[in-house]
Amino acid sequence: MLQIGIIGSGSIARNAHMPGYRAQKDAEVVAVCDVVPGRAAAFAQEFGIPRAYDSYQEMLAKESLDAVSVCTPNFAHHDTAIAALNAGLHVLCEKPIAMNATEAREMVAAAHRANKTLQIGLHWRFTSEAQLLRRMIVAGELGEIYYGEATCLRRRGIPSWGVFTQKELQGGGALIDIGVHTLDHTMWLMGNPRPVSVLGATYCKFGKRNDVVNPWGKWDTAKFNVDDMGIGMVRFENGATLVLRASWAANIEKEFSETRVLGTEGGASMQPLKIYKEMHQTLVDITPAYLPGVKPHIEEITHFLACVRGECPCLVVPEQVVDVQTVLDAVYQSSETGHEVVL
Ligand SMILES: NC(=O)c1ccc[n+]([C@@H]2O[C@H](COP(=O)([O-])OP(=O)(O)OC[C@H]3O[C@@H](n4cnc5c(N)ncnc54)[C@H](O)[C@@H]3O)[C@@H](O)[C@H]2O)c1
């Protein structure tokens, strides 16, 4: 049995990592830690985890683990992941990889030094639709991919728990929080071309107001100092471009997530997945008649454990994630300067 520890016993640990590990036959969560005294102990009791700690350093020193999940807010990803890698453990770290690309590069370097897996929790890559579309793109069904659209817009969905709305603890707002999923997903489908320049803008039009309806609950408007919407345009070395849009709050009809890629032999949009092609002098739309109904968080943990066992290379290549973080950093920088950022 692989011995797993969890660092940070909040929402994503409860709702994604615990169900993910519990679905496995050859892994068990044997320890959990959290900086808030008593929080890990309560979590351990709830899930029947044998041991709980109030510090990750103590957990790493006392336990004999194979791997950890890092489920802390973004500011703690870098230090906890590097400490675990230096202790010889494999790491599944929640998204975004870190506060910025400098931290991200240090984490990836630590993983290479330790020769351990560092997988980032970008679970959108693990849906059946994404896996099928990527296979089709690799097989050349869409030809040369020259354009992508990465959209994740919420009408009202400002997180009201945790520290999501504080820049010094999260690195940013909607853009880094949910923009990271759609950007990573789209860049991966496009084959991860190297980004060379970014033009972007971020906005904070709702977060500081007390008169905004938010079905996700009340947040602290006085502490809110991040973006509630971010947009960007990315140019890649191969000539392709990508348009990125992410919001926690926007005056649109409804929540709207869509990934679109255009190629010379076909285009695709998801979700749901639809392919647009020309066949035999006809315009055709192709939709899958059957796709397995997988749970992407569970798939990502199954894949992580396969990497831990040395059965396959990590599908979420860390260098690709550093490129994603570099683009996010550049959108923030471009928004501040008002100019395109050349990478
Ligand atoms: N993959 C997804 O779809 C998804 C969804 C939600 C959140 N997340 C990510 O998960 C992370 C956590 O989000 P959350 O919603 O669970 O937040 P949360 O606030 O509910 O939980 C975070 C927990 O980490 C603890 N913590 C903080 N610093 C720590 C440290 N140094 N050591 C140990 N514990 C520490 C906090 O006390 C808290 O209990 C964030 O990076 C977020 O971006 C990912």
Side-chain angles (χ1 to χ4, degrees), residues 164-241:
F164 285 88
T165 58
Q166 295 170 58
K167 189 169 172 56
E168 57 286 7
L169 300 177
Q170 285 289 104
L175 180 73
I176 197 170
D177 181 42
I178 54 176
V180 68
H181 275 306
T182 188
L183 177 64
D184 174 72
H185 190 233
T186 312
M187 281 175 62
W188 171 67
L189 287 168
M190 294 172 78
N192 288 102
R194 200 176 73 79
V196 291
S197 71
V198 176
L199 181 68
T202 62
Y203 299 90
C204 177
K205 299 293 182 190
F206 298 87
K208 293 184 194 300
R209 283 162 51 178
N210 287 310
D211 62 340
V212 172
V213 175
N214 188 41
W216 289 33
K218 264 282 170 234
W219 72 97
D220 188 342
T221 53
K223 284 191 178 155
F224 194 104
N225 63 356
V226 293
D227 50 292
D228 44 40
M229 181 165 107
I231 58 161
M233 180 176 155
V234 188
R235 277 182 197 280
F236 297 99
E237 196 172 39
N238 66 357
T241 52

Side-chain angles (χ1 to χ4, degrees), residues 10-12 34 39 72-74 77 94-95 123 161 164 181:
S11 168
I12 198 70
D34 199 292
R39 191 174 279 180
T72 68
N74 303 347
H77 288 183
E94 264 308 330
K95 48 53 59 173
H123 65 277
W161 72 96
F164 285 88
H181 275 306

Side-chain angles (χ1 to χ4, degrees), residues 18-304:
M18 281 313 299
Y21 288 117
R22 282 179 148 187
Q24 312 296 325
K25 287 195 179 72
D26 64 346
E28 57 184 346
V29 177
V30 294
V32 57
C33 66
D34 199 292
V35 277
V36 176
R39 191 174 279 180
F43 189 91
Q45 193 172 21
E46 180 183 342
F47 288 101
I49 299 168
R51 292 172 295 281
Y53 300 88
D54 291 339
S55 100
Y56 72 87
Q57 291 94 338
E58 193 188 350
M59 182 177 89
L60 295 181
K62 290 195 173 156
E63 294 287 331
S64 287
L65 302 170
D66 296 294
V68 292
S69 272
V70 170
C71 300
T72 68
N74 303 347
F75 77 92
H77 288 183
H78 171 269
D79 289 1
T80 54
I82 290 179
L85 290 163
N86 287 346
L89 309 185
H90 301 269
V91 174
L92 172 58
C93 176
E94 264 308 330
K95 48 53 59 173
I97 182 170
M99 300 280 278
N100 52 55
T102 304
E103 285 190 357
R105 277 190 287 271
E106 289 171 3
M107 291 163 69
V108 174
H112 286 310
R113 271 198 311 275
N115 197 22
K116 298 291 169 195
T117 297
L118 170 64
Q119 182 175 324
I120 306 305
L122 291 157
H123 65 277
W124 286 26
R125 293 192 189 199
F126 291 91
T127 66
S128 294
E129 288 192 340
Q131 288 288 322
L132 170 60
L133 181 53
R134 181 71 194 133
R135 285 200 297 278
M136 292 179 80
I137 290 171
V138 169
E141 300 275 4
L142 304 193
E144 175 204 340
I145 308 292
Y146 59 91
Y147 174 73
E149 266 174 33
T151 305
C152 187
L153 297 172
R154 290 183 193 152
R155 180 169 177 169
R156 294 288 186 277
I158 299 177
S160 54
W161 72 96
V163 294
F164 285 88
T165 58
Q166 295 170 58
K167 189 169 172 56
E168 57 286 7
L169 300 177
Q170 285 289 104
L175 180 73
I176 197 170
D177 181 42
I178 54 176
V180 68
H181 275 306
T182 188
L183 177 64
D184 174 72
H185 190 233
T186 312
M187 281 175 62
W188 171 67
L189 287 168
M190 294 172 78
N192 288 102
R194 200 176 73 79
V196 291
S197 71
V198 176
L199 181 68
T202 62
Y203 299 90
C204 177
K205 299 293 182 190
F206 298 87
K208 293 184 194 300
R209 283 162 51 178
N210 287 310
D211 62 340
V212 172
V213 175
N214 188 41
W216 289 33
K218 264 282 170 234
W219 72 97
D220 188 342
T221 53
K223 284 191 178 155
F224 194 104
N225 63 356
V226 293
D227 50 292
D228 44 40
M229 181 165 107
I231 58 161
M233 180 176 155
V234 188
R235 277 182 197 280
F236 297 99
E237 196 172 39
N238 66 357
T241 52
L242 179 153
V243 171
L244 166 67
R245 302 180 291 172
S247 74
W248 282 338
N251 284 325
I252 54 175
E253 186 187 1
K254 58 180 181 189
E255 181 159 328
F256 174 59
S257 283
E258 189 188 70
T259 302
R260 186 177 287 275
V261 287
L262 300 186
T264 50
E265 304 303 318
S269 59
M270 56 193 290
Q271 307 79 19
L273 178 59
K274 210 166 178 182
I275 314 283
Y276 314 98
K277 282 178 78 83
E278 265 188 39
M279 292 173 81
H280 307 285
Q281 293 84 50
T282 310
L283 296 175
V284 298
D285 299 347
I286 303 166
T287 54
Y290 164 74
L291 279 174
V294 302
K295 293 192 170 127
H297 277 299
I298 291 182
E299 291 297 306
E300 85 173 351
I301 285 177
T302 304
H303 177 72
F304 174 60

